[in-house]
């Protein structure tokens, strides 16, 4: 097998709603490390959302967990006020506690020991009614704080530590009573008598369990004796005498403390952390006696980061596996973290360096993936809710938005993506339809494969099946130039392909070798507006420096593992390559080589701040910097790029190091993977005011809607006017049908003399490598979204469910013919299947034609002619109503709202199919000529506004009469050297139209093949499926209008008649009451389709024979395409389960493959009209 891929950095869309919870994110994990997410909405509903790989968006829809609880409160309205969740790090079971407000009082509900993967029954709540001794259950309760912690025991079970703070008198002050709740013991609520005054706005608490204390309890920080801040731990009760007050432990507190957090370790004891102006302090599990003093483990770096720990307002800690992690939000709303190996919490040298990761954060939640020991972070910021996942191998952060199922068709989410179009071919050149492939990434990432979300990782590959055209589409969300590489391979491992999604963008970038190149770049948006890439106020020296730095980074990228993994071994030196460079932003931007770079800039001779002296450092090869994780450093500078005063990249001992200077201190990490280099490139462009969105316009692809819409309108009007002509052409056609059969019978014997050019269909099928942008994901954008969205679309059309008695009589006559001819038909078509269709990719078009001629002569008979006339008779009665449905409005996800945005009109089903063709036609034409096929001029407007098919042909004939004599071919179907850019003015209007129609046909064939494969597996094809089938087929055959443009012959007239008949058969079979007639759909219509295409071969060959002496390239391609298309149509009757029960299941994929192959040659035909004709 052959696997090919083309990736584009582009805007893409998902039929989904962006999840934007208003409350603090509460996230835990299932046994596979996927997120389980709890949030409270603005209207007071607690929702559950789960990450589910293999689903449409990757997340379940929001599940309402609380509204039904109204039935427990006299059906009064209920509001979720607070939720707490705690997960057992050993078993991953979890406990939930909920504060619910109803009828003026707060209530506590719990759900305990819930399995992380058990969701069939949802969440079972247990009401913990307020029943404290002597107070009764009628007391109105107003809860201020809720705390819950699962305490793992030595056995598999656990204990539940639940505390609630209740306002003593809500109308008079903020004094609190503190209760602990025992779910399994009555009374459930027990007052914790502390002897201190707790105020709602002056204390912060977290739960824990300390050494030599049998009972779990609660840490409290704040002012509860006087105005002085204090820190204490109190168990639920005195384990030795519950009638006594619980024994309180007071701890020494660092000055200017602001927040506390605790986390329970594998031994069932908690470590307590305190954030203070001086840094992060820790009370380890063996240092929590009364009057215990904490240890400063991560001092603040005042001069470096403006004291990152000062004013911490939110703090959370977790210990899972071998990792201990503490996250904080400080007074500047910067979110940052520090980590160490579990068990080393008291070791100052074990902790990582704190650097900001997300700015302007309102609240956050996180967990440590138990399987991979990596951070999974959820942050509500000014940009909404984002999910950040840190790769355990590269340490790079990957940002994603949480997308939920869309509430309606019009909802969509736009995102920047690396979209990869992957093609798979069998050894004979045929598309590998319904072939299972393995997709694996070398880093963690989330992707959409043909619209379904999957989580990729290095360990377990995802199985994906190619579609009806032998392709996959892989969409990877991105917020930067960095992408995760992935591998696609066959099940047997014999064929594989490594896909580097950012590789194409990097290649384009490498072409801009100088600042002058960058300044010359013009970028264009979707509406056709242009502007320079580099703003005019950026000094030339700065863009020169940026270009120089980027080219050096691209060279470094080439030295790193191409599969995206981290560098394992030292890189051998390249004598021709620089070993270091420095970019200085302190004044004018300047790039120094290693010979020019001032050694004091990043070396050991520089002056270091005292506050940073404790931090881990790298001091080799002339470098001296604070060591950080590469992903943390890049995440920081992506947000704080304006604060970077210089940066350098140096090779030391065979490894590249990136160092940056911020606020007078130097930070660095090993630059060891290609994705990281892409991030550094983006940072360089940020420094010269080039935003990521502008880089997409330059390095990626943007749909040019103005040009596409003109192409679309030309295609649509040609189809509409042809359909209108079709309705009025039946009366004169019966004689044409009789003449056509007579001519076909007379000419079959003459076909044997045609010269065979030897090139097989399979070879032609993979011959499109040189066609610019034909495999570009943007060219396939509408195909991709149509496949994913058509079943959920709404088409505003009423297809009649009945037909009249006159139609029924004709159908009965056709059924009789079918019965009489079935033996001949079966014999002939089985031979077609065995001798031609099953091996068509290894045959040339001439060989296919000759074999068909030797087999199907039996079908060119009087009965076949009568059957074809039957199509005509039915069409006279039904086609006009069917044609009126072609332009029915369709509301399809993504495409309809975007069409409305850019075109200003509602989308119809015909618009959709024309758009599917117009997008690639415009993109490919522009790639080859530098211009769109149709300018906004009088000529184009004449085509768009013509009111009859005759007028359109007159316009095109006028253009054809004035065109120059084209070059001719030698008659062989060899691979041609395509003219990459042909002068726009040299292509006549009829050439532009035929080029456009053939490319449109090629891409509509993909939809037609897809729809037919879907229909074969459907008991009763849906209206949507029928509408997609007939409209895509109509656009597929519309290039046959070429028969109107040259000299009129018996063969061109034959082709015109058969085009009308084929369109009519498709229309009556899909858009009339016959679409609900089983005999028609399953037997008669396929039978007629086979007959039509058997006979249609005659004009295909006849037209080619007329030019065979000196054919143009386009003549050859047209011939090959139509022979293969006719072969596919001839085989249609083989899908009849009644007549071919053993063959039918295998016939549909063969027909699908032949149609796709025909479409591939249509593409070559279109290019022939553009390139050399």
């Amino acid at each position: 097998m052959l696997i090919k891929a083309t990736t584009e950095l582009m805007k893409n869309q998902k039929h989904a709603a962006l999840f934007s919870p208003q409350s603090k994110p509460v996230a835990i994990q299932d046994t596979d490390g996927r997120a389980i997410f709890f949030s409270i909405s603005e209207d007071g509903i607690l929702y559950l959302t789960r990450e589910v790989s293999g689903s449409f968006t990757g997340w379940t829809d929001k599940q309402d967990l609380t509204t039904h609880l109204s039935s427990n409160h006299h059906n009064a309205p209920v509001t979720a006020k607070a939720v707490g969740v705690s997960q057992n790090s050993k078993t991953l079971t979890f406990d939930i506690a909920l504060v619910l407000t109803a009828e003026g009082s707060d209530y506590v509900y719990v759900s305990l020991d819930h399995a992380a993967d058990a969701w069939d029954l949802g969440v079972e709540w247990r009401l913990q009614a307020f029943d404290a001794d002597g107070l009764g259950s009628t007391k109105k309760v107003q809860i201020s704080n809720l705390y819950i912690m699962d305490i793992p025991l030595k056995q598999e079970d656990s204990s539940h530590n639940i505390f609630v703070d209740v306002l003593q008198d809500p109308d008079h002050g903020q004094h609190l009573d503190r209760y602990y709740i025992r779910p399994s013991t009555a009374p459930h609520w027990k007052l914790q008598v502390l002897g201190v005054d707790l105020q709602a706005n002056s204390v912060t608490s977290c739960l824990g369990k300390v050494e030599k204390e049998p009972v779990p309890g609660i840490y409290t920080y704040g002012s509860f004796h006087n105005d002085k801040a204090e820190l204490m731990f109190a168990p639920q009760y005195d384990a030795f005498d519950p009638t006594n007050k619980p024994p309180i432990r007071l701890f020494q507190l660092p000055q200017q403390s602001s927040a506390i957090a605790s986390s329970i370790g594998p031994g069932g004891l908690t470590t307590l952390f305190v954030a203070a102006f001086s840094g992060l302090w820790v009370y380890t599990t063996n240092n929590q006696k009364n009057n215990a003093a904490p240890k400063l483990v991560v001092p603040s770096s005042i001069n470096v980061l403006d004291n990152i720990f000062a004013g911490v307002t939110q703090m959370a800690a977790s210990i899972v596996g071998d990792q201990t992690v503490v996250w904080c939000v400080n007074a500047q709303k910067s979110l940052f973290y520090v980590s160490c190996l579990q068990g080393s919490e008291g070791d100052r040298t074990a902790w990582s360096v704190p650097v900001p990761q997300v700015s302007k954060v309102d609240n956050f939640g996180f967990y440590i993936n138990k399987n991979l020991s990596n951070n999974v972070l959820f942050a509500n910021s000014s940009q909404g809710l984002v999910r950040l996942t840190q790769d355990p191998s590269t340490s790079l952060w990957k940002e994603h938005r949480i997308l939920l199922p869309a509430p309606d068709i019009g909802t969509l989410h736009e995102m920047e993506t690396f979209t990869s179009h992957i093609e798979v071919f069998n050894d004979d050149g045929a598309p590998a339809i319904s072939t299972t492939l393995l997709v694996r990434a070398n880093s963690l990432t989330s992707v959409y494969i043909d619209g379904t979300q999957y989580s990729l990782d290095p360990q377990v590959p995802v199985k994906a099946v190619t579609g009806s055209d032998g392709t996959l589409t892989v969409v990877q969300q991105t917020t930067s130039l960095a992408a995760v590489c992935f591998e696609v391979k066959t099940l047997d491992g014999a064929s594989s392909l490594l896909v580097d999604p950012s590789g194409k963008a990097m290649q384009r970038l490498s072409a801009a070798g100088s600042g002058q190149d960058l300044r010359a770049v013009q970028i264009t948006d979707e509406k056709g507006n242009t502007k320079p890439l580099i703003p005019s106020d950026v000094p030339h020296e700065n863009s020169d420096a940026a270009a120089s730095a980027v080219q050096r980074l691209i060279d470094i990228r080439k030295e790193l593992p191409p599969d995206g993994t981290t560098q394992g071994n030292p890189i051998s030196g390249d004598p021709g390559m620089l070993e270091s460079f420095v970019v200085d932003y302190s004044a004018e931007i300047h790039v120094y080589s290693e010979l020019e770079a001032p050694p004091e800039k990043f070396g050991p001779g520089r002056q270091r701040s005292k506050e940073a002296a404790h931090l881990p450092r790298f001091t080799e090869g002339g470098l001296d910097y604070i060591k950080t994780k590469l992903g943390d450093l890049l995440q920081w500078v992506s947000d704080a790029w304006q604060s970077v005063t210089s940066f350098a990249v140096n090779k030391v001992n065979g490894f590249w190091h990136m160092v940056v200077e911020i606020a007078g201190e130097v930070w660095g990490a090993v630059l060891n993977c290609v994705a990281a280099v892409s991030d550094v490139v983006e940072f360089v462009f940020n420094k010269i005011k080039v935003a990521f969105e502008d880089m997409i316009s330059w390095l990626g692809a943007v749909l040019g809607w103005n040009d596409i819409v003109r192409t679309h309108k030309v295609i649509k009007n040609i189809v509409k006017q042809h359909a209108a002509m079709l309705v009025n052409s039946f009366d004169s056609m019966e004689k044409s049908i009789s003449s056509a059969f007579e001519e076909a019978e007379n000419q079959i014997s003459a076909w044997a003399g045609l010269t065979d050019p030897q090139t097989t269909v399979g070879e032609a099928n993979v011959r499109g490598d040189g066609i610019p942008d034909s495999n570009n994901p943007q060219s396939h954008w509408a195909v991709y979204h149509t496949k994913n969205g058509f079943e959920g679309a709404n088409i505003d059309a009423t297809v009649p469910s009945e037909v009249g008695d006159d139609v029924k009589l004709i159908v009965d006559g056709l059924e009789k013919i079918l019965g009489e001819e079935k033996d001949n038909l079966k014999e002939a078509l089985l031979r077609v299947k065995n001798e031609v269709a099953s091996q068509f990719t290894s045959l040339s078009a001439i060989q296919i034609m000759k074999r068909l001629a030797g087999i199907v002569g039996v079908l060119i008979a009087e009965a076949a002619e009568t059957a074809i006339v039957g199509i005509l008779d039915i069409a006279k009665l039904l086609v006009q109503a069917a044609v009126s449905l072609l332009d029915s409005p369709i509301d399809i996800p993504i495409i309809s709202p975007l069409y409305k945005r850019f075109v200003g009109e509602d989308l119809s089903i015909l618009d959709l199919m024309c758009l599917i063709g117009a997008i690639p036609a415009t993109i490919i034409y522009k790639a080859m000529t530098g211009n769109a096929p149709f300018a906004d001029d009088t000529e184009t407007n004449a085509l768009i506004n013509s009111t009859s098919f005759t007028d359109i042909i007159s316009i095109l004939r006028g253009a054809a009469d004035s065109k120059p004599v084209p070059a001719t071919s030698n008659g062989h179907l060899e691979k041609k050297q395509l003219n990459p850019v042909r002068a726009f003015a040299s292509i006549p209007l009829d050439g532009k139209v035929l080029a456009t129609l053939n490319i449109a046909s090629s891409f509509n064939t993909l939809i037609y093949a897809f729809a037919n494969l879907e229909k074969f597996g459907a008991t009763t094809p849906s209206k949507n499926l029928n509408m997609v089938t007939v409209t895509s087929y109509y656009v597929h055959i519309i290039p046959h209008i070429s028969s109107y443009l040259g000299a009129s012959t018996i063969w061109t007239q034959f082709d015109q008649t058969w085009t009308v008949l084929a369109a009519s058969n498709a229309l009556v079979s899909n858009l009339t009451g016959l679409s609900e007639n089983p005999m028609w759909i399953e037997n008669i219509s396929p039978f007629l389709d086979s007959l039509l295409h058997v006979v249609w071969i005659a004009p295909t060959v006849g037209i080619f024979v007329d030019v065979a002496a000196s054919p143009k390239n386009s003549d050859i391609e047209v011939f090959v395409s139509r022979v293969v298309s006719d072969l596919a149509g001839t085989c249609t009757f083989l899908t009849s389960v009644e007549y071919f029960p053993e063959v039918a299941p295998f016939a549909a994929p063969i027909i699908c493959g032949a149609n796709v192959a025909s479409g591939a040659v249509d593409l070559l035909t279109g290019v022939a009209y553009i390139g050399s004709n």
Side-chain angles (χ1 to χ4, degrees):
M1 282 187 174
L2 173 66
I3 305 174
K4 301 192 298 182
T6 305
T7 302
E8 204 61 85
L9 175 61
M10 58 182 279
K11 183 179 290 184
N12 217 322
Q13 297 79 24
K14 188 69 178 169
H15 182 218
L18 189 64
F19 184 36
S20 301
Q22 285 72 43
S23 63
K24 176 180 177 179
V26 179
I28 56 174
Q29 61 188 304
D30 65 14
T31 55
D32 291 322
R34 293 186 289 255
I36 303 168
F37 199 91
F38 299 89
S39 63
I40 297 176
S41 64
E42 283 185 335
D43 53 355
I45 298 175
L46 174 63
Y47 286 110
L48 164 70
T49 308
R50 293 183 295 114
E51 186 180 10
V52 182
S53 185
S55 62
F56 185 70
T57 65
W59 293 83
T60 64
D61 204 352
K62 295 186 296 184
Q63 181 180 352
D64 182 345
L65 298 181
T66 53
T67 299
H68 70 282
L69 296 176
S70 171
S71 61
N72 296 341
H73 303 280
H74 308 99
N75 294 319
V78 295
T79 302
K81 183 176 181 179
V83 64
V85 182
S86 179
Q87 187 163 34
N88 187 310
S89 61
K90 292 180 179 179
T91 65
L92 295 186
T93 59
F94 61 92
D95 304 328
I96 317 173
L98 166 71
V99 176
L100 192 76
T101 302
E103 299 180 289
S105 184
D106 291 341
Y107 297 85
V108 174
Y109 284 83
V110 298
S111 180
L112 306 176
D113 301 320
H114 198 293
D117 297 321
W119 295 104
D120 292 343
L121 300 177
V123 174
E124 297 184 12
W125 294 110
R126 291 164 51 190
L127 175 63
Q128 304 296 295
F130 184 78
D131 58 357
D133 293 338
L135 296 175
S137 59
T138 60
K139 174 182 170 63
K140 296 288 186 181
V141 175
Q142 185 170 328
I143 295 174
S144 177
N145 300 301
L146 170 71
Y147 310 94
I148 185 170
M149 175 179 279
D150 185 282
I151 308 290
L153 301 178
K154 293 183 179 180
Q155 299 80 17
E156 289 300 317
D157 59 350
S158 58
S159 65
H160 311 105
N161 190 17
I162 306 171
F163 275 83
V164 176
D165 289 339
V166 176
L167 289 175
Q168 291 179 0
D169 185 350
D171 297 327
H172 300 87
Q174 297 293 304
H175 298 281
L176 298 175
D177 284 334
R178 175 163 286 173
Y179 296 87
Y180 59 93
I181 295 177
R182 300 178 298 179
S184 57
T185 304
H188 301 302
W189 291 61
K190 294 290 290 185
L191 181 66
Q192 186 188 42
V193 181
L194 296 174
V196 297
D197 182 20
L198 301 181
Q199 296 275 340
N201 296 322
S202 63
V203 296
T204 301
S205 298
C206 58
L207 302 181
K209 188 174 186 301
V210 301
E211 191 177 43
K212 296 183 180 180
E213 175 56 69
V215 178
I218 188 167
Y219 301 99
T220 303
Y221 157 73
S223 302
F224 33 81
H225 280 114
N226 45 49
D227 291 337
K228 180 182 178 182
E230 296 181 87
L231 177 62
M232 70 174 182
F233 174 82
Q236 293 177 349
Y237 56 89
D238 187 336
F240 303 101
D241 187 354
T243 61
N244 291 335
K245 292 180 182 179
I248 293 176
R249 304 186 186 193
L250 286 171
F251 302 143
Q252 296 182 34
L253 186 64
Q255 292 185 353
Q256 295 181 275
S257 301
S258 60
I260 63 172
S262 63
S263 184
I264 195 155
L269 301 178
T270 48
T271 301
L272 179 64
F273 301 93
V274 177
F277 185 85
S278 50
L280 180 68
W281 298 75
V282 63
Y283 300 85
T284 56
T285 56
N286 60 358
N287 181 36
Q288 295 189 35
K289 299 181 178 67
N290 192 46
N291 202 36
K295 184 174 184 179
L296 179 64
V297 289
V298 186
S300 288
S301 304
I302 299 173
N303 291 345
V304 180
L305 293 172
D306 295 325
N307 193 350
I308 196 169
F309 279 100
V312 166
T313 57
Q314 299 177 56
M315 191 174 180
S318 181
I319 299 174
V320 174
D322 63 353
Q323 292 289 306
T324 297
V325 179
V326 180
W327 282 88
C328 303
V329 176
N330 63 19
Q332 287 75 41
K333 302 185 77 172
S334 292
L335 177 62
F336 63 95
Y337 83 101
V338 288
S339 64
C340 71
L341 287 176
Q342 185 272 323
S344 302
E345 291 83 2
D347 182 357
R348 181 169 172 169
T349 64
W351 286 88
S352 65
V353 176
V355 292
Q357 298 297 293
V358 187
S359 62
K360 300 178 182 178
V361 171
D362 296 319
N363 46 58
F364 73 96
F366 86 101
Y367 64 84
I368 304 171
N369 186 310
K370 184 179 181 182
N371 300 323
L372 301 174
S373 297
N374 65 311
N375 275 290
V376 181
L377 173 70
F378 299 86
N380 260 324
S381 70
S382 58
Q383 303 300 314
L385 179 68
V386 296
R387 171 186 171 150
L388 288 152
T389 304
Q390 189 168 38
D391 187 88
S393 175
T394 65
S395 79
L396 299 181
W397 289 91
K398 189 73 174 178
E399 180 178 321
H400 289 98
R401 298 286 180 161
I402 297 177
L403 301 180
L404 304 182
D408 52 57
I409 288 179
T411 299
L412 63 87
H413 174 69
E414 291 194 282
M415 54 194 175
E416 312 302 346
T417 71
F418 287 99
T419 299
S420 300
H421 179 70
I422 298 167
E423 300 174 286
V424 188
F425 298 93
N426 292 318
D427 293 338
D428 60 3
I433 299 168
S434 301
T435 299
T436 301
L437 300 172
L438 301 177
V439 184
R440 182 185 63 85
N442 287 317
S443 298
L444 297 178
T445 192
S446 172
V447 299
Y448 297 103
I449 302 178
D450 283 345
T452 299
Q453 186 276 342
Y454 294 96
S455 297
L456 300 184
D457 63 54
Q459 280 76 38
V460 182
V462 167
K463 288 185 177 181
V465 180
T466 60
S468 55
D469 53 355
T471 67
L472 291 176
T473 300
V474 180
V475 178
Q476 185 179 148
Q477 289 188 64
T478 188
T479 55
S480 72
L481 289 179
V484 173
C485 300
F486 60 92
E487 179 189 44
V488 181
K489 67 178 181 180
T490 54
L491 284 175
D492 60 6
S495 299
S496 64
L497 179 70
L498 175 66
V499 181
D500 175 8
S502 60
K504 186 175 181 179
M506 291 298 111
Q507 288 177 359
R508 289 172 176 166
L509 189 62
S510 65
S514 67
Q516 183 176 356
D517 293 336
L518 291 179
R519 292 189 291 274
V521 173
Q522 295 285 317
I523 57 176
T524 305
D525 65 16
E526 293 170 310
K527 296 183 178 180
N529 302 313
T530 61
K531 70 175 184 178
L533 174 70
I534 308 298
S536 58
D537 60 344
V538 173
H540 286 191
E541 295 81 0
N542 293 8
S543 52
D544 291 340
S548 176
V550 166
Q551 294 306 313
R552 298 185 191 189
L553 287 167
I554 291 174
D555 288 337
I556 291 171
R557 191 179 190 274
K558 295 175 183 177
E559 291 193 1
L560 297 172
D563 61 358
T565 56
T566 56
Q567 175 191 349
N569 299 312
I571 302 170
S572 58
D574 182 348
M577 185 172 176
L578 296 174
E579 295 294 302
S580 69
F581 68 91
V582 177
V583 183
D584 191 351
Y585 298 106
S586 56
E588 290 183 347
I589 299 180
H590 185 73
V591 177
Y592 299 91
S593 72
E594 74 275 14
L595 299 177
E596 301 173 293
E600 70 276 5
K601 194 73 176 176
F602 300 104
R606 69 185 309 280
Q607 184 176 359
R608 292 184 254 170
S609 62
K610 294 180 181 179
E611 291 77 8
H614 68 280
L615 298 175
R617 310 191 76 85
F618 178 87
T619 55
E620 296 180 32
L623 292 178
D624 182 3
Y625 65 76
I626 300 169
K627 290 194 297 184
T628 63
K629 289 183 179 179
L630 176 62
D632 295 346
L633 179 64
L634 292 174
Q635 184 71 16
W636 177 26
V637 300
S638 70
D639 190 54
W641 55 268
Q642 291 175 314
S643 301
V644 176
T645 52
S646 60
F647 87 95
V649 179
N650 290 58
K651 184 186 283 187
V652 179
N653 299 327
F655 291 87
W656 288 99
H657 295 248
M658 176 190 177
V659 291
V660 299
E661 182 185 31
I662 299 179
E665 190 53 83
V666 177
W667 310 73
V670 177
L671 194 62
N672 58 5
C673 63
V674 293
V677 176
S678 299
D679 277 332
V680 180
V681 168
E682 185 179 344
F683 158 76
V684 170
F685 277 99
N686 281 336
K687 293 293 285 187
I688 57 170
K689 302 181 181 180
V690 177
F692 178 55
E693 294 76 14
D694 292 337
M695 297 196 72
I696 291 177
S697 298
W698 172 37
L699 302 175
V702 176
L703 285 176
W705 279 95
N706 291 343
D707 294 333
I708 289 168
V709 169
R710 283 195 302 276
T711 305
H712 156 265
K713 288 183 175 180
V714 169
I715 297 171
K716 180 180 179 182
N717 198 41
I718 291 172
V719 176
K720 282 187 67 175
Q721 298 309 328
H722 184 274
M725 178 273 295
L726 172 153
V727 171
N728 299 314
S729 63
F730 297 130
D731 291 339
S732 60
M733 287 183 61
E734 190 165 346
K735 184 177 179 181
S736 299
I737 292 172
S738 179
S739 300
F741 270 91
E742 181 180 347
E743 194 66 28
E745 292 176 9
N746 292 337
Q747 294 294 327
I748 285 177
S749 60
W751 297 352
L754 285 173
T755 302
D756 193 340
Q758 301 300 322
T759 302
T760 69
V761 172
E763 291 168 342
N765 196 43
V766 295
R767 219 168 69 222
D769 289 350
I771 300 176
D773 288 338
S774 61
N775 297 319
N776 188 313
Q778 280 221 315
S779 294
H780 290 261
W781 176 84
V783 173
Y784 170 71
H785 286 300
T786 299
K787 287 180 178 180
N788 286 332
F790 86 97
E791 278 294 3
N794 291 327
I795 301 178
D796 186 12
T798 302
V799 177
S801 59
E802 295 289 337
V803 294
D805 291 339
D806 43 3
V807 173
K808 291 178 181 178
L809 285 174
I810 301 172
V811 172
D812 290 342
L814 290 171
E815 185 176 355
K816 181 180 178 182
I817 294 173
L818 177 57
E820 293 171 349
E821 297 291 329
K822 67 179 180 181
D823 292 336
N824 290 336
L825 286 168
K826 290 180 69 172
E827 179 185 356
L829 288 178
L830 285 173
R831 287 187 62 194
V832 169
K833 184 260 180 187
N834 294 326
E835 299 175 27
V836 188
S838 61
Q839 50 188 298
F840 79 93
T841 55
S842 61
L843 302 174
S844 70
I846 297 293
Q847 288 172 326
I848 291 172
M849 179 272 297
K850 288 181 178 181
R851 292 193 184 191
L852 284 173
I855 296 171
V856 301
V858 67
L859 299 181
I860 310 298
E862 182 178 346
E865 182 178 342
T866 303
I868 297 298
V869 171
I871 297 176
L872 179 61
D873 292 337
I874 290 176
K876 291 177 183 178
L877 299 169
L878 299 180
V879 157
Q880 185 168 3
V883 165
S884 67
L885 297 177
L886 284 177
D887 217 14
S888 298
I890 180 173
D891 200 3
I892 186 170
I894 296 173
I895 301 177
S896 288
L898 288 181
Y899 186 85
K900 182 74 171 181
R901 180 194 303 176
F902 290 105
V903 183
E905 300 172 3
D906 292 329
L907 185 75
S908 73
I909 185 68
L910 183 57
D911 282 322
L912 175 60
M913 296 306 148
C914 294
L915 187 66
I916 285 170
I919 290 173
T922 305
I923 291 173
I924 293 169
Y925 197 101
K926 289 176 76 171
M928 294 189 68
T929 68
N931 296 278
F934 302 104
D936 186 9
D937 57 17
T938 303
E939 195 175 56
T940 300
N941 289 330
L943 285 174
I944 293 172
N945 297 318
S946 292
T947 57
S948 73
F949 187 68
T950 302
D951 288 347
I952 289 175
I953 295 303
S954 296
I955 293 169
L956 296 181
R957 278 179 173 168
D961 291 341
S962 62
K963 71 182 179 182
V965 178
T968 61
S969 166
N970 59 10
H972 291 271
L973 303 186
E974 76 280 358
K975 182 174 180 179
K976 297 178 289 298
Q977 296 299 315
L978 300 173
N979 184 357
V981 178
R982 184 180 176 193
F984 178 64
S986 69
I987 306 175
L989 181 62
D990 66 321
K992 297 175 188 177
V993 168
L994 291 176
T996 298
L997 294 182
N998 275 279
I999 296 172
S1001 170
S1002 174
F1003 281 75
N1004 269 266
T1005 302
L1006 302 179
I1007 295 297
Y1008 179 62
F1010 164 76
N1012 272 291
L1013 205 58
E1014 291 285 315
K1015 287 180 77 169
F1016 181 75
T1019 305
T1020 303
S1022 66
K1023 178 180 73 174
N1024 286 9
L1025 200 52
N1026 287 336
M1027 294 287 282
V1028 167
T1029 301
V1030 68
T1031 47
S1032 62
Y1033 180 71
Y1034 212 139
V1035 178
H1036 166 53
I1037 65 173
I1038 201 63
H1040 282 265
I1041 70 164
S1042 62
S1043 64
Y1044 291 89
L1045 300 182
S1048 179
T1049 69
I1050 183 65
W1051 297 120
T1052 58
Q1053 293 171 22
F1054 193 158
D1055 188 67
Q1056 294 165 17
T1057 299
W1058 245 246
T1059 303
V1060 169
L1061 288 170
S1064 299
N1065 186 47
L1067 285 162
V1068 299
S1069 295
N1070 289 279
L1071 300 185
T1072 71
L1074 290 177
S1075 65
E1076 298 187 12
N1077 182 319
M1079 172 55 74
W1080 179 272
I1081 293 300
E1082 296 169 15
N1083 296 319
I1084 298 176
S1085 179
F1087 159 61
L1088 294 175
D1089 207 34
S1090 289
L1091 288 182
L1092 279 167
H1093 284 86
V1094 164
V1095 181
W1096 212 349
I1097 294 174
T1100 296
V1101 178
I1103 291 171
F1104 183 65
V1105 168
D1106 286 346
V1107 298
S1110 57
K1112 301 187 292 292
N1113 289 332
S1114 55
D1115 295 328
I1116 297 172
E1117 306 295 14
V1118 166
F1119 172 67
V1120 176
S1121 169
R1122 293 184 183 176
V1123 166
V1124 179
S1125 179
D1126 289 335
L1127 170 63
T1130 299
C1131 293
T1132 304
F1133 192 39
L1134 290 170
T1135 61
S1136 170
V1137 177
E1138 179 179 340
Y1139 284 83
F1140 302 94
E1142 296 180 356
V1143 174
F1146 307 100
I1150 292 174
I1151 295 169
C1152 180
N1155 276 318
V1156 172
S1158 166
V1161 186
D1162 281 336
L1163 178 62
L1164 292 170
T1165 306
V1167 169
Y1169 281 112
I1170 302 171
S1172 61
N1173 207 18

